[in-house]
Amino acid sequence: MQVEVFDFLRERYSEQRCLAFTLTHTGSVQLHDLGEAKKIDGLVAQYWRQIKEEGAQLSTGISLSASDVKGPSTDYASKLHDLLFDPLRLHMAGVSEVIVAPEGLLSLVPFEALRRPSGRWLGDDFQFGRTLSGAHLLWPRTQ
């Protein structure tokens, strides 16, 4: 989620921030500030620019799996992981499914293809789902 934060001391809005909410199976919700939206959007644009450049270098008919990719986009995949998921890692312990409701340029990110510090892809460790809004995840479930 991207939001503008009002600075009451300076009486003006600050840069837009990216926020994430974590929701546990018990219904507990926590808010996490992931940083400036401009910085994250810039990394997303660089990530896609590099993927496009790498794709242009491949011959047609070549099929690569995620483990075969060892190019510069891996660096941006790691940087995006660090910004988006590192702040959430303690809240993701024991989690196998992640549901994301990305906004703006983040909706273009294949979260499964972000690289963890261990070198593994997020998709190797988590099953991802997408939704337009996380609000319905808070609705009581019927048995």
Side-chain angles (χ1 to χ4, degrees):
M1 149 186 253
Q2 292 186 5
V3 297
E4 285 185 284
V5 179
F6 189 77
D7 184 336
F8 287 96
L9 295 176
R10 294 187 178 107
E11 297 182 350
R12 63 182 169 97
Y13 283 98
S14 64
E15 294 283 328
Q16 279 196 333
R17 312 284 299 172
C18 281
L19 304 178
F21 295 91
T22 54
L23 172 67
T24 66
H25 67 282
T26 61
S28 169
V29 179
Q30 290 189 321
L31 172 68
H32 309 275
D33 184 348
L34 301 179
E36 290 182 14
K38 189 182 219 179
K39 181 179 181 178
I40 293 171
D41 284 348
L43 271 176
V44 172
Q46 289 174 316
Y47 174 79
W48 277 108
R49 192 173 307 116
Q50 235 171 10
I51 286 177
K52 183 178 177 184
E53 290 170 5
E54 289 172 3
Q57 295 173 4
L58 293 175
S59 303
T60 57
I62 295 177
S63 176
L64 296 177
S65 69
S67 61
D68 295 327
V69 178
K70 294 184 178 20
S73 64
T74 301
D75 187 45
Y76 286 113
S78 296
K79 288 179 181 182
L80 280 170
H81 169 275
D82 293 348
L83 278 175
L84 301 175
F85 285 91
D86 198 46
L88 307 176
R89 76 180 182 288
L90 295 176
H91 303 281
M92 294 177 69
V95 170
S96 61
E97 182 181 9
V98 177
I99 301 172
V100 294
E103 292 181 353
L105 289 181
L106 282 177
S107 64
L108 303 174
V109 173
F111 294 99
E112 299 86 346
L114 298 183
R115 183 157 328 251
R116 302 180 82 179
S118 66
R120 292 176 58 85
W121 302 99
L122 277 177
D124 291 338
D125 298 321
F126 302 101
Q127 181 179 358
F128 279 84
R130 288 182 177 258
T131 183
L132 295 176
S133 169
H136 73 278
L137 298 174
L138 297 173
W139 293 343
R141 295 183 182 182
T142 56
Q143 299 294 334

